């Protein structure tokens, strides 16, 4: 007879966990595993990675979920390998082979397509994606063998480096790309293959950076599972890590209280579209705002309970030997 399953006692947890997502798990599966390990009440991620992709996946807990959109919009850097000469239905190694062509690619050809795909480009989103049409994900249509029309999207490839990977005759290339929001690396790999005249599909994909977060800061699920609870909590970055690039405004106690109630504050601040607002007494992150004409206009705000919990958690972490 199976023993009864122990119910996890959830608790308020606030912060950002930089996870190195493993191969084979969806972003949501990885999120749910980390949420369970931290016993967190509320969690979300900042943009999905395919199950076949690994790498940087910022997970937001508690108050940090209010600012997760900021990293959905962040530039991201990927490293991939692609096999030339073979095109698949999904653009990756999981899909059925649908075309094979001979490969005659020179270093000059790689340099040419590197220049061709650097800068603003247009992409047609792949059928095997989570984009929705008429309330249904494209990958659901694809599984049914139905192809629907997709409008091209404008994206930007900020940096692109393409080179030979593997041994001569493997027909593998490596791709490193820093891209804007909404860029599909599988589609980029396929389009590069077409520009080389032979087709291609991705054989591996890893996200090595999202915004200012890089893979060296990440922890694996395996390592997280081996830690005790205090060690897991110590891996969390504060919610304000999501707004590191914002201008900073610090308010006194009275102005901070009014700001948290949604009231605009007036000061000698320069106009700014993205502002991180802090309180001075106590020192705490309050939320985001923008400044127009000397007015600090509230955006996404923490509530007093969240602020108290964050300050308490910080004190407990500091007290842990």
């Amino acid at each position: 007879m199976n023993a009864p399953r122990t119910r996890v006692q959830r608790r308020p947890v606030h912060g950002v966990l930089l996870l190195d997502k493993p191969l084979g798990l969806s972003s949501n599966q990885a999120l749910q595993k980390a949420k369970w390990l931290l016993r967190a009440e509320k969690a979300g991620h900042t943009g999905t990675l395919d199950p076949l992709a690994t790498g940087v996946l910022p997970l937001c807990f508690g108050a940090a979920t209010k600012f997760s959109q900021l990293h959905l919009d962040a530039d991201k850097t990927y490293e991939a390998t692609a096999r030339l000469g073979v095109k698949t239905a999904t653009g990756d190694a999981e899909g059925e082979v649908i075309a094979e062509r001979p490969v005659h690619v020179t270093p000059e050809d790689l340099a040419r397509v590197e220049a061709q795909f650097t800068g603003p480009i247009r992409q047609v989103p792949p059928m095997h994606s989570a984009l929705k049409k008429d309330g249904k994900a494209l990958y659901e249509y694809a599984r049914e063998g139905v192809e629907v029309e997709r409008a091209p999207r404008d994206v930007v490839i900020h940096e692109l480096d393409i080179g030979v990977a593997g041994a001569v005759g493997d027909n593998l290339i490596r791709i490193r790309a820093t891209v804007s929001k909404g860029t599909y690396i599988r589609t980029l790999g396929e389009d590069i293959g077409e520009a080389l005249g032979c087709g291609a599909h991705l054989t591996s994909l890893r996200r090595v950076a999202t915004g200012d977060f890089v893979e060296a800061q990440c922890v694996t699920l395996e390592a997280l599972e081996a830690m005790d609870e205090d060690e897991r909590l110590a891996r969390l970055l504060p919610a304000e890590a999501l707004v590191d690039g914002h201008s900073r405004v610090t308010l006194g106690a009275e102005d901070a209280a009014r700001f948290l109630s949604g009231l605009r504050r007036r000061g000698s601040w320069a106009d700014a579209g993205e502002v991180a607002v802090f309180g001075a007494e106590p020192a705490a992150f309050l939320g985001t705002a923008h400044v127009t004409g000397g007015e600090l206009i509230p955006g996404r705000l923490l509530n007093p309970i969240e602020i108290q919990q964050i300050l308490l958690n910080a004190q407990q972490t500091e007290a842990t030997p």
Side-chain angles (χ1 to χ4, degrees):
M1 185 174 179
N2 293 331
R5 188 173 179 177
T6 303
R7 185 176 179 85
V8 174
Q9 184 64 44
R10 301 289 181 178
R11 57 183 173 173
V13 173
H14 304 283
V16 181
L17 179 72
L18 300 183
L19 183 71
D20 188 338
K21 191 192 84 64
L23 187 69
L25 288 187
S26 70
S27 293
N28 188 59
Q29 287 172 327
L31 170 69
Q32 295 307 319
K33 177 68 172 177
K35 182 181 178 183
W36 182 81
L37 288 170
L38 287 163
R39 297 196 292 117
E41 292 176 342
K42 183 178 181 181
H45 55 66
T46 60
T48 59
L49 275 175
D50 289 346
L52 291 177
T54 65
V56 183
L57 182 65
L59 304 180
C60 298
F61 296 91
T65 61
K66 296 181 177 181
F67 311 100
S68 60
Q69 180 66 39
L70 299 172
H71 271 261
L72 285 173
D73 299 337
D75 292 340
K76 298 174 177 66
T77 300
Y78 295 88
E79 292 181 348
T81 57
R83 184 173 300 281
L84 301 177
V86 180
K87 186 172 181 178
T88 69
T90 58
D92 58 34
E94 288 283 288
E96 176 188 356
V97 174
I98 57 175
E100 294 189 58
R101 284 180 272 177
V103 179
H104 303 291
V105 174
T106 67
E108 291 75 21
D109 292 327
L110 295 181
R112 171 178 57 81
V113 298
E114 188 177 288
Q116 178 182 341
F117 287 95
T118 300
I121 66 169
R122 306 200 89 193
Q123 276 193 338
V124 176
M127 282 299 301
H128 287 268
S129 69
L131 281 180
K132 292 189 176 181
K133 182 177 177 62
D134 300 328
K136 187 174 178 179
L138 291 182
Y139 66 77
E140 294 182 74
Y141 289 105
R143 287 172 182 169
E144 296 167 1
V146 176
E147 182 156 347
V148 299
E149 187 174 350
R150 290 98 69 204
R153 304 172 71 176
D154 293 317
V155 298
V156 180
I157 312 299
H158 298 292
E159 295 180 18
L160 180 62
D161 181 68
I162 306 173
V164 174
V168 175
D170 286 347
N171 293 333
L172 290 175
I173 58 171
R174 56 166 178 77
I175 301 169
R176 181 180 172 94
T178 300
V179 303
S180 68
K181 172 190 175 184
T183 303
Y184 288 94
I185 304 301
R186 278 184 301 164
T187 300
L188 179 63
E190 288 185 301
D191 290 345
I192 287 171
E194 290 303 315
L196 289 169
C198 57
H201 69 275
L202 292 193
T203 58
S204 70
L205 177 60
R206 181 168 177 80
R207 186 156 71 192
V208 297
T210 173
D212 293 330
F213 299 140
V214 298
E215 58 182 330
Q217 297 172 275
C218 295
V219 63
T220 65
L221 281 175
E222 185 179 22
L224 198 67
E225 195 163 11
M227 297 175 183
D228 62 33
E229 285 203 334
D230 288 338
E231 290 173 321
R232 291 171 190 163
L233 290 174
R235 293 292 313 197
L236 293 175
L237 300 176
E240 58 261 36
L242 295 170
V243 297
D244 270 353
H246 287 33
S247 302
R248 181 171 176 139
V249 166
T250 301
L251 300 175
E254 184 176 342
D255 278 333
R258 292 179 179 275
F259 175 79
L260 284 175
S261 68
L263 295 177
R264 300 182 179 194
R265 312 314 300 144
R266 179 162 288 280
S268 57
W269 305 294
D271 286 2
E274 296 180 330
V275 178
V277 183
F278 293 80
E281 302 172 10
F285 176 53
L286 307 180
T288 59
H290 65 277
V291 176
T292 302
E295 274 198 326
L296 185 68
I297 302 169
R300 293 187 177 275
L301 306 178
L302 278 67
N303 63 53
I305 293 176
E306 290 171 335
I307 293 171
Q308 290 174 4
Q309 290 171 342
I310 291 169
L311 291 172
L312 179 61
N313 288 345
Q315 292 170 1
Q316 291 173 340
T317 301
E318 290 173 2
T320 301

